[in-house]
Amino acid sequence: MSKLFRILQGLVFLALFLYPHPLGAALPPPPLPKLQTVPVLRVGYVPLPGMFFKDEHGLYKGIAFEYLSTVASYMNCSLDFSPGTEEENLEKLAAGELDLVPTAMAHEEQGLASLSLGPSIGYVAFQAENEELRHKLQAAIGEVDSLAPYYRFHLLERYRPMEIPLSLTAEEKAYLAEKKVLHSLTSEGQPPYTYFKDGEHLGIIADIMEIIAKDLDISITSAPLQSSEARLHAMNTGEIDFIADLYDDYNWAAENEVWLTKPYLKIDYVAVMNRDHPLPDAPVIACARGHFYNRTYTEYHYPSSQVRYYPTMQDCLRAVHDGEADIVFTKTLTVQNDIYAGGYLNLYTPGSVVFSHFVSIGVSRHADPRLFSILNKEISHLHTQQIASILTRHAHSMGESGTLFALIYYHPMKTIALIGLGFLLLLLAMGLFFFQKRHYHKKLYHMAYTDPLTGLHNMAWLTQNLPELISQQSRLREEGKLFVMSVTLDRLAFMKETFDLKLLMESMLATLQNSRTENPWLLADGINSEGTCLYFLCCEPEGMSMRQAAEKFIRDGTVMTIGKLPTIFTHRVGLMPVPPDDDVSASWLLDCAYSAKMEAIATDQNLFIYDERLAEQYHQRQEMESLMHKALAAQEFQVWLQPKYDLATRNTLGAEALVRWESPELGFLPPGAFMDLFERNGFAVELDYYVLERVCEIQSARLKKGLPALPVSVNQSGLHITEQGYLGRMRDIMDRWKLIPGLIELEITETAFIDFTTKEQREDAAQIIDDLQAIGYSLSMDDFCTGYSSLSMLQNLPMNVMKIDRDILWSAEKSPRSMSILRHIIALGKALSMSVLVEGIETKEQEELLIKLGCDNGQGFYYARPMPVKEFYEEFLPKHS
């Protein structure tokens, strides 16, 4: 009968679907529910960190905000907030323009009344005559306190200061100065919480003791716990000062005349059961002897007939695995590792926390009371984030020793299939490798010795072949007619941003080919990896000197046609004669030509010939390389700060950290004298870390003294981006100094993220930026508009600050076109919510130009030159903040 009914029901639905009219038209739509209007309370607040404030995203935060919002929900009201001073808010409240004002103290004047929101939260003021509002507030506050009595404490914990100052009395400091070393006893055999290896105390509690020792400027020794009687005797007789990890059982503490400090660690426990055996009504509980929680949880909740004791936790797990017991309680942090380590793959945990206990430090009641007070203050000084970081690090370090075995045990068929697939892929990979080996071998030479963007020989080819090329021209060399020429174009990076890169490269290569045809004395050439500098082996043409030949090369390439647009380029050329008879290396000749070119740039000349003065500089660079590691170890490198400022208010916003070298052998050196060398030999990496550590030390010292700490930017060499372990080392630095996120800004040039083999953005660039920001650094794109693809960088890299190169500013003073570019770059940075800063401001006119273009921040000699740290904080900052 029911089957027939279902068939008829289906036919009816089918008819309604196929023939919706007129029956379907007769069905009216269901009425929409009527929305209830929620009354709005107008609230005036005083912006105050931790209590009532807006974060960087414009969202309200704070203890008073959250508690008042909760109370409003119980009143069935919504809140509308407006900021103001307390005096302004109270005046508006008395005038009826506001309904509520949260305050620090009660107000009963001017027709106002107040209700307490609780300790450390304050009061809420309202008009005394508004009895209806008073009753609603009282009822809502009472209901919140009744249903969630610990809600206030959660808010206070969430918004507590990052660090509670450690304030010791003179007597307490004298006690520590006298003791210098505190001796403790600690549990053993409980990794990762606490254990000993070769006599060294390791684990979570060991790391916490290390933090305590560092904060108190003392040493703490740890020895493993002995019997209960022995450890109490050792503490009461003064052999040890405290027990580092006691279960917070105050009954036990009272029985044994022990004071327990505030807890510093919470340990959660979960139940572990056997998946092959159903849980009986009266389960047998396996307990490890000597564990504190047996007394307060297991023995308290289960009768003695259901409790069975074993020597260790692994014995308990084995008992549950073998069916001798039904449940064992073990620590959440170690449960999976315990199961895998014993191979107990039939055991499982539901994952929910069954119970928790806290860990405190125990001090004898007969000990000096100053010790107990010091330890309590230090535990209050510890921040939960420090403990959480230690727990996370040890949880990751444990690993899962039996993961592979567990995979095979649970998924044997999938494991076999996976192994077979891996073997098949290995065979295919080997076949593909041998098939393509010959093809790749043919490409290796091309890849190793050819620039991928231009197709020209690279510096590796030129360096390797230059001696042979010189040898082939032995007659010209003996006559002193061979020379090496280094050539670069001014503002090439800016041209790459202005013109299409492919079109620009085609035009430059066509010009180069024309120069080769017109000047057969250009014997060989190569280009550097950045594509910014050409090197030539040349011979003096008939009737011309070396200088005259170079001047002709410059004239031939002054005007290039890019597309259909004739464009003027300024050449910078360095010349190095090849010695007629000396045995010199190719690298030395190329370095000398490069040095001469850099001298041409520095002296604003078109060309410069290597001379004795540059030779002396070359030897000085060699001396720098021999001294640089010693200088770093001796801290000869000094950090100077150059202020950054708000163009409108001329207030200091932060600073850039710059390095100076105070060398006993070389004297005082500015960065221009050594940074280019350090970039080329790779020493810039270690110097960057040195400067970063010094800046973190400065910031940390100011925070500990309660002094203002402005953001300081630190330059990061592009060499870091390909450095092995870079992110890990940057994370270690931030963890060590524990600075507020944003106090350290990393200035990284956009070219650092270019893969010069493809001239494209590195695939991992965005991930590197995200990871650095997650660690706590803010990121600045330094020398913006001097790289390969600034606009694509803006699109793909979530940087915080855009730092515009000074060349763009100087060009904007002379060129309307450049001014338009600068205006749009500033607008673009603002549209992307980036802080925009222009460097190199040296005149009042430049500053006024930037203000006119809408730029907010600047840096340059017009405002302040770089200065020592002490001068910046003690003399400059008080006058410019």
Side-chain angles (χ1 to χ4, degrees), residues 707-728:
L707 299 173
L710 298 178
V712 176
S713 62
V714 180
N715 288 286
Q716 291 275 282
S717 168
L719 300 174
H720 288 290
I721 306 305
T722 56
E723 177 193 357
Q724 186 74 21
Y726 170 58
L727 290 174

Side-chain angles (χ1 to χ4, degrees), residues 78-97:
S78 62
L79 303 178
D80 180 39
F81 303 105
S82 59
T85 65
E86 184 166 337
E87 183 179 353
E88 292 171 347
N89 291 337
L90 293 175
E91 289 179 358
K92 290 182 180 180
L93 181 62
E97 298 176 21

Side-chain angles (χ1 to χ4, degrees), residues 552-715:
K552 179 180 184 302
F553 177 87
I554 294 172
R555 289 195 302 271
D556 292 345
T558 298
V559 179
M560 298 184 193
T561 302
I562 304 176
K564 297 182 179 180
L565 179 65
T567 305
I568 297 177
F569 282 83
T570 299
H571 291 68
R572 305 293 185 179
V573 176
L575 302 176
M576 173 59 193
V578 178
D581 48 13
D582 293 345
D583 185 16
V584 294
S585 69
S587 298
W588 182 75
L589 289 171
L590 295 171
D591 281 347
C592 292
Y594 173 84
S595 299
K597 181 201 68 175
M598 295 305 295
E599 187 67 16
I601 295 173
T603 56
D604 196 23
Q605 301 180 58
N606 287 110
L607 66 87
F608 195 90
I609 301 174
Y610 189 83
D611 55 17
E612 289 298 325
R613 184 173 59 84
L614 288 182
E616 184 179 346
Q617 291 179 3
Y618 179 80
H619 292 302
Q620 185 182 36
R621 287 199 299 271
Q622 287 183 313
E623 186 176 6
M624 287 181 187
E625 287 189 308
S626 68
L627 294 172
M628 61 190 185
H629 293 289
K630 185 272 292 184
L632 191 66
Q635 298 188 4
E636 295 174 10
F637 294 102
Q638 301 175 359
V639 174
W640 285 34
L641 298 177
Q642 183 177 20
K644 301 176 183 179
Y645 70 106
D646 185 306
L647 295 176
T649 64
R650 296 186 66 78
N651 284 335
T652 302
L653 301 175
E656 177 182 1
L658 303 170
V659 66
R660 302 292 188 266
W661 186 358
E662 186 66 60
S663 170
E665 297 85 2
L666 304 174
F668 184 82
L669 300 177
F674 54 82
M675 279 311 300
D676 182 65
L677 171 65
F678 291 172
E679 283 284 346
R680 284 192 284 158
N681 64 21
F683 185 68
V685 170
E686 290 306 313
L687 183 58
D688 282 353
Y689 284 125
Y690 172 86
V691 173
L692 178 57
E693 290 275 9
R694 298 289 74 76
V695 171
C696 288
E697 182 181 11
I698 293 166
Q699 297 284 56
S700 177
R702 291 188 65 80
L703 290 175
K704 288 181 179 179
K705 293 178 182 178
L707 299 173
L710 298 178
V712 176
S713 62
V714 180
N715 288 286

Side-chain angles (χ1 to χ4, degrees), residues 419-660:
I419 293 173
L421 179 60
F423 183 71
L424 179 60
L425 290 175
L426 179 62
L427 290 177
L428 291 174
M430 290 177 63
L432 183 63
F433 171 77
F434 287 114
F435 177 77
Q436 293 186 339
K437 183 178 180 180
R438 182 172 297 180
H439 176 70
Y440 285 148
H441 184 72
K442 293 178 180 179
K443 287 188 175 181
L444 281 178
Y445 184 88
H446 182 79
M447 292 173 61
Y449 297 115
T450 305
D451 178 70
L453 182 64
T454 62
L456 302 175
H457 289 304
N458 59 22
M459 293 305 295
W461 179 91
L462 187 59
T463 303
Q464 180 174 314
N465 289 275
L466 190 58
E468 178 62 25
L469 294 170
I470 293 174
S471 176
Q472 293 173 4
Q473 307 293 332
S474 58
R475 183 182 61 81
L476 294 174
R477 178 181 183 178
E478 292 170 359
E479 295 174 359
K481 292 185 177 182
L482 283 184
F483 63 95
V484 175
M485 180 169 65
S486 171
V487 181
T488 194
L489 300 178
D490 263 1
R491 301 165 56 79
L492 180 58
F494 183 69
M495 291 295 181
K496 290 178 179 179
E497 295 297 335
T498 307
F499 296 99
D500 177 76
L501 181 59
K502 181 179 179 181
L503 186 63
L504 179 63
M505 287 295 115
E506 289 176 351
S507 301
M508 293 176 66
L509 289 173
T511 303
L512 174 60
Q513 183 58 42
N514 184 64
S515 292
R516 288 170 174 165
T517 304
E518 296 293 329
N519 303 291
W521 48 270
L522 299 172
L523 304 179
D525 55 69
I527 192 169
N528 67 347
S529 59
E530 292 83 6
T532 57
C533 184
L534 276 167
Y535 292 85
F536 296 90
L537 174 63
C538 313
C539 66
E540 292 181 1
E542 193 68 31
M544 286 188 185
S545 66
M546 175 176 62
R547 174 181 288 275
Q548 290 171 333
E551 289 173 344
K552 179 180 184 302
F553 177 87
I554 294 172
R555 289 195 302 271
D556 292 345
T558 298
V559 179
M560 298 184 193
T561 302
I562 304 176
K564 297 182 179 180
L565 179 65
T567 305
I568 297 177
F569 282 83
T570 299
H571 291 68
R572 305 293 185 179
V573 176
L575 302 176
M576 173 59 193
V578 178
D581 48 13
D582 293 345
D583 185 16
V584 294
S585 69
S587 298
W588 182 75
L589 289 171
L590 295 171
D591 281 347
C592 292
Y594 173 84
S595 299
K597 181 201 68 175
M598 295 305 295
E599 187 67 16
I601 295 173
T603 56
D604 196 23
Q605 301 180 58
N606 287 110
L607 66 87
F608 195 90
I609 301 174
Y610 189 83
D611 55 17
E612 289 298 325
R613 184 173 59 84
L614 288 182
E616 184 179 346
Q617 291 179 3
Y618 179 80
H619 292 302
Q620 185 182 36
R621 287 199 299 271
Q622 287 183 313
E623 186 176 6
M624 287 181 187
E625 287 189 308
S626 68
L627 294 172
M628 61 190 185
H629 293 289
K630 185 272 292 184
L632 191 66
Q635 298 188 4
E636 295 174 10
F637 294 102
Q638 301 175 359
V639 174
W640 285 34
L641 298 177
Q642 183 177 20
K644 301 176 183 179
Y645 70 106
D646 185 306
L647 295 176
T649 64
R650 296 186 66 78
N651 284 335
T652 302
L653 301 175
E656 177 182 1
L658 303 170
V659 66
R660 302 292 188 266

Side-chain angles (χ1 to χ4, degrees), residues 185 224-234 243:
L185 289 177
L225 284 175
Q226 305 164 1
S227 67
S228 178
E229 295 77 10
R231 67 193 182 202
L232 289 173
H233 176 76
I243 299 175

Side-chain angles (χ1 to χ4, degrees), residues 333-449:
L333 190 62
T334 64
V335 59
Q336 291 300 334
N337 194 67
D338 291 339
I339 291 173
Y340 288 139
Y344 305 133
L345 301 181
N346 62 333
L347 301 186
Y348 77 100
T349 174
S352 56
V353 176
V354 178
F355 65 91
S356 304
H357 76 72
F358 292 93
V359 177
S360 301
I361 294 177
V363 179
S364 172
R365 295 187 180 183
H366 305 292
D368 192 315
R370 291 177 293 178
L371 174 60
F372 183 72
S373 174
I374 290 168
L375 292 174
N376 260 325
K377 288 181 178 181
E378 168 58 22
I379 291 172
S380 298
H381 174 67
L382 294 175
H383 195 270
T384 54
Q385 186 60 43
Q386 290 177 290
I387 308 299
S389 297
I390 294 172
L391 290 171
T392 301
R393 184 171 68 253
H394 281 277
H396 288 171
S397 67
M398 289 183 64
E400 295 180 352
S401 58
T403 301
L404 180 59
F405 179 63
L407 175 65
I408 298 172
Y409 179 85
Y410 287 122
H411 308 287
M413 297 306 297
K414 290 183 178 179
T415 303
I416 294 172
L418 185 62
I419 293 173
L421 179 60
F423 183 71
L424 179 60
L425 290 175
L426 179 62
L427 290 177
L428 291 174
M430 290 177 63
L432 183 63
F433 171 77
F434 287 114
F435 177 77
Q436 293 186 339
K437 183 178 180 180
R438 182 172 297 180
H439 176 70
Y440 285 148
H441 184 72
K442 293 178 180 179
K443 287 188 175 181
L444 281 178
Y445 184 88
H446 182 79
M447 292 173 61
Y449 297 115

